[in-house]
């Protein structure tokens, strides 16, 4: 049994399937996917559907799933689309158009099933492997954390937004400091492509934070790949 962590697949079904083959992913293993399964590339909804069908894969909320939910929320029996949010999501900067088109083509039941899964997706989770406590999330943490696991539906809207947008590897509005992290935990995140942090495609570590985003969102990034980390022995896997 092994625990694997990856992030930011961004609609690359080819890399996702190749990764499962590369790590010989079995029913005895666990895969944590730290959000941003969708957008930029065309297969996000298909990957999301595949993940949700696997009992040993856990979907975490990323800022792109946050966009999907905020843009296509269900209220009662109705879909209430937030057209202003959808325009932001589908802009060139955020790359949501392929996902929005694929989502629109689904029947009502599948739309509701996907939105419900995003609403219940993991926001952050503490896991212990070989005596090491790992904090898993898309990018940041909750202030005043009191539990080992939170889901999107457990958190206030602004708190959830901070977890998927703030980063120690960003500047400006969404910058977070290392001093805001719990010193006894090792943090594993995605969200910011490692190429923008280190100039290299390899998994990047600084202080107690590990960044797994190999740059699937952008084919022009040097070494763009889907990166994965096995927690038991810290072995790294890269697929292109």
């Amino acid at each position: 049994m092994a625990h694997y962590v990856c992030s930011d697949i961004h609609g690359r079904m080819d890399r996702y399937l190749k990764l499962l083959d590369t790590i010989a992913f079995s029913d005895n293993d666990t895969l944590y996917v730290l959000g941003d399964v969708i957008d930029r590339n065309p297969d996000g909804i298909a990957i999301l559907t595949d993940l949700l069908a696997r009992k040993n894969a856990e979907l975490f909320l990323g800022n792109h799933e946050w966009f999907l939910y905020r843009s296509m929320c269900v209220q009662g029996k109705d879909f209430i689309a937030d057209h202003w949010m959808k325009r932001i999501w589908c802009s060139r900067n955020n790359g949501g158009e392929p996902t929005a088109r694929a989502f629109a083509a689904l029947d009502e039941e599948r739309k509701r099933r996907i939105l419900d899964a995003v609403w219940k997706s993991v926001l952050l989770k503490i896991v212990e492997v070989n005596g090491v406590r790992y904090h898993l999330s898309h990018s940041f943490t909750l202030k005043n954390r009191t539990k080992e696991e939170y889901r999107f539906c457990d958190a206030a809207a602004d708190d959830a937004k901070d977890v998927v947008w703030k980063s120690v590897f960003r500047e400006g509005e969404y910058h977070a400091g290392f001093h805001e992290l719990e010193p006894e935990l090792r943090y594993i995140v995605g969200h910011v492509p490692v190429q923008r942090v280190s100039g290299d495609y390899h998994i990047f570590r600084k202080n107690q934070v590990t960044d797994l985003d190999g740059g699937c969102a952008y084919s022009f990034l040097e070494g763009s790949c889907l990166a994965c980390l096995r927690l038991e022995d810290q072995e790294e896997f890269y697929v292109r």
Side-chain angles (χ1 to χ4, degrees), residues 13-23 238-240:
M13 178 66 86
D14 56 339
R15 291 179 178 178
Y16 167 66
L17 294 178
K18 186 176 179 181
L19 174 64
L20 296 180
D21 184 60
T22 298
I23 64 176
Y238 300 93
V239 298
R240 295 180 176 80

Side-chain angles (χ1 to χ4, degrees), residues 122-230:
V122 181
L123 189 62
L124 70 81
K125 184 170 186 171
I126 311 298
V127 299
E128 184 170 331
V129 177
N130 293 342
V132 179
R133 282 167 53 80
Y134 295 95
H135 178 295
L136 307 180
S137 71
H138 183 60
S139 189
F140 191 52
T141 190
L142 287 171
K143 293 181 179 179
N144 305 313
R145 180 186 65 82
T146 60
K147 299 191 299 183
E148 300 285 276
E149 180 176 334
Y150 289 84
R151 294 182 179 268
F152 185 21
C153 54
D154 296 330
D158 287 345
D159 291 340
K161 184 178 180 182
D162 280 349
V163 174
V164 300
W165 282 99
K166 293 183 71 174
S167 171
V168 296
F169 301 124
R170 293 189 68 168
E171 298 299 332
E173 178 184 1
Y174 295 117
H175 175 70
F178 285 97
H179 68 278
E180 299 178 71
L181 306 178
E182 298 174 64
E184 68 275 15
L185 298 178
R186 290 171 64 178
Y187 290 76
I188 302 181
V189 301
H191 188 48
V192 179
V194 291
Q195 293 89 340
R196 293 181 170 174
V197 180
S198 67
D200 181 71
Y201 71 87
H202 291 96
I203 291 170
F204 179 74
R205 296 171 175 85
K206 184 174 181 180
N207 298 346
Q208 69 202 87
V209 183
T210 298
D211 184 356
L212 299 180
D213 184 352
C216 280
Y218 306 106
S219 59
F220 59 83
L221 288 176
E222 184 69 27
S224 171
C225 64
L226 178 58
C228 180
L229 182 67
R230 185 164 61 206

Side-chain angles (χ1 to χ4, degrees), residues 61 67 84 93 101 108 120 133 138 141 168 171 205:
L61 183 75
F67 266 133
W84 177 79
N93 283 344
R101 287 198 304 268
E108 297 294 293
K120 295 176 181 176
R133 282 167 53 80
H138 183 60
T141 190
V168 296
E171 298 299 332
R205 296 171 175 85

Side-chain angles (χ1 to χ4, degrees), residues 110-128:
R110 291 183 66 195
K111 286 178 181 177
R112 291 177 185 276
R113 192 158 57 240
I114 284 175
L115 290 176
D116 184 62
V118 171
W119 178 230
K120 295 176 181 176
S121 63
V122 181
L123 189 62
L124 70 81
K125 184 170 186 171
I126 311 298
V127 299
E128 184 170 331

